[in-house]
Amino acid sequence: MEALWVATAFALGLFATRLGLPPLVGYLGAGFGLHALGLRETDFLHHAAEIGVLLLLFSLGLKLRPKDLLDPRVLGVGGLHLLLFALLALSFAGPFPLALALGLSSTVLVAKLLEDKRELTTYHGRLAIGILVLQDLVAVSLLTLVGGGSVSPWALLLFLFPLLRLGVAWLLERSGHEELLVLYGLGLALLGGETFRQVGLSPELGALLTGTLLSGHAKGTEMAKALWGLKEAFLVAFFLNIGLREGLQGVEAGLVLGLLLLSLLKAPLFFLLFLLFGLRARTAFVAGTYLGNYSEFALIVGVALERVGLLPMGLGSLALLVALSMALSAPLGRYSHTLYRRLEPWLLRLERKGRHPDEEPERLDGATALIVGMGRTGGAVYRVLEAGGERPFGLDADPEKVERHRAKGRRVLYGDAEDPELWERLDLSGVKAVVLALPDLEAKLLAARWLKERGFRGVVAATSFHLEEDPALEAAGVSLLFHPFREAGERLAERVLERLAIMGEVSHGRS
């Protein structure tokens, strides 16, 4: 049975990628297809799906800064959008709890898309995740309200949860770098989820908050990377489970279509609210596009409403609605930057005048080299160029990285390489080289194309992690490619040969 699930998910996931869609769209289709063949959800698949969600939220917690939740744009936009969309959904959905649940966006889908695009730590990524966490807190309250479970008095002890940080961090530092690190992360995610479940709270919230205990820890990023493959495998079970659980029997096509069309208003509503709170049109558009879908929590609330006789539709209809919403939203989120570029002339007219909190630089203050992406590779490039007499300037979409580099006295500012407005306004006079040290291929391609369109005549260098990326990067205008993994090995071999030569000379001298 498990082999059939995996084979079907792989086949349809591969088919989805050939159509330019994220593979999770194929996984959703695989679930509905297997249900049509007579297969059903099993305990194994249910538990695997739950573990995948817990690992995803735990990994999010590792990267989440609590102060992001206190951002007035998160609280204001998230709260207003939830209320306004619930009022719009009332005429379709019936009871207010279900209408409110339809106002939630999918934490699993959005987090997966942001992670695949390496945008979890960007400004718009932090906004989206902050709003999702706010919505998850609302979902927990909603489940309690409709009878999803009663909260135990022992839940009050969870206010002491932050006191566990020192002990959890102490064990993390002693868990090594291999299988013990993976096992420790898996154990924390499951333990956090089960603890919250036992006191009547959402296990998803428990996994998320457990991850925040290690947020900012030097080894937290390493743990997130170690858990990546395990999390990806278990998340396939989550998307399969959606289709296998309910299937397409008894679906009310008209109701599903109406609510699906209504979901298309989510992203524009987010966009307008973000603009109202002073953000730039691009940030508002990209963040809103990611959030324009229905949440898996709508299904959970639907189950609770059905139990008390308040669900106005079949669970199959609700499951199909959530799945179609994810399938529609995923490609829009994946190509949100490209979509913005095409719509930019009209969207900019709606942007409020004045300074924005996500403002990007227009001048580089006499820089001779621009490094885009200030991670480990970009930081090393900055140091070497500065030591070589150049005047480097760094840009990064992660505000936290920007703060760290600026604290070290480096000239680094916030800037998103996928923002066309950045490249249109940025004064590149005097810049001899642009280094694209970014992990995401699409971001490098877009940046290189914009540099080419502007007629930049200096060196455009970029990292390439796979040889099949090289032709696309060269066609986009990259004149110098660096292969970190392969060239690091070559450099290591050169140093070994140098050391052997020195040792040979020393041995020859002694003889």
Side-chain angles (χ1 to χ4, degrees), residues 74-88:
V74 169
L75 295 174
V77 173
L80 278 174
H81 187 279
L82 195 57
L83 179 61
L84 292 174
F85 191 83
L87 293 175
L88 288 173

Side-chain angles (χ1 to χ4, degrees), residues 295-306:
S295 171
E296 57 280 355
F297 269 116
L299 274 177
I300 300 172
V301 173
V303 171
L305 286 171
E306 185 186 50

Side-chain angles (χ1 to χ4, degrees), residues 123 280 282-283 355-363 395-397 413-426:
Y123 189 83
R280 293 167 53 235
R282 180 182 177 276
T283 302
R355 184 165 181 80
H356 306 96
D358 52 341
E359 201 74 61
E360 294 177 312
E362 297 183 10
R363 294 184 300 276
L395 294 177
D396 201 283
L413 290 176
Y414 169 81
D416 194 330
E418 295 185 86
D419 183 0
E421 194 175 338
L422 168 70
W423 299 109
E424 289 168 5
R425 296 183 179 183
L426 195 61

Side-chain angles (χ1 to χ4, degrees), residues 130-192:
I131 287 174
L132 288 168
V133 173
L134 176 67
Q135 290 181 349
D136 286 348
L137 294 174
V138 173
V140 172
S141 304
L142 193 56
L143 285 171
T144 304
L145 176 67
V146 299
S150 58
V151 179
S152 166
W154 290 101
L156 294 173
L157 291 177
L158 293 178
F159 285 108
L160 302 176
F161 204 61
L163 300 179
L164 299 175
R165 181 180 174 87
L166 289 178
V168 170
W170 183 82
L171 281 174
L172 175 62
E173 291 163 2
R174 285 153 182 79
S175 60
H177 302 278
E178 297 179 356
E179 65 268 17
L180 278 178
L181 182 64
V182 175
L183 190 61
Y184 184 50
L186 175 61
L188 281 177
L190 297 179
L191 181 62

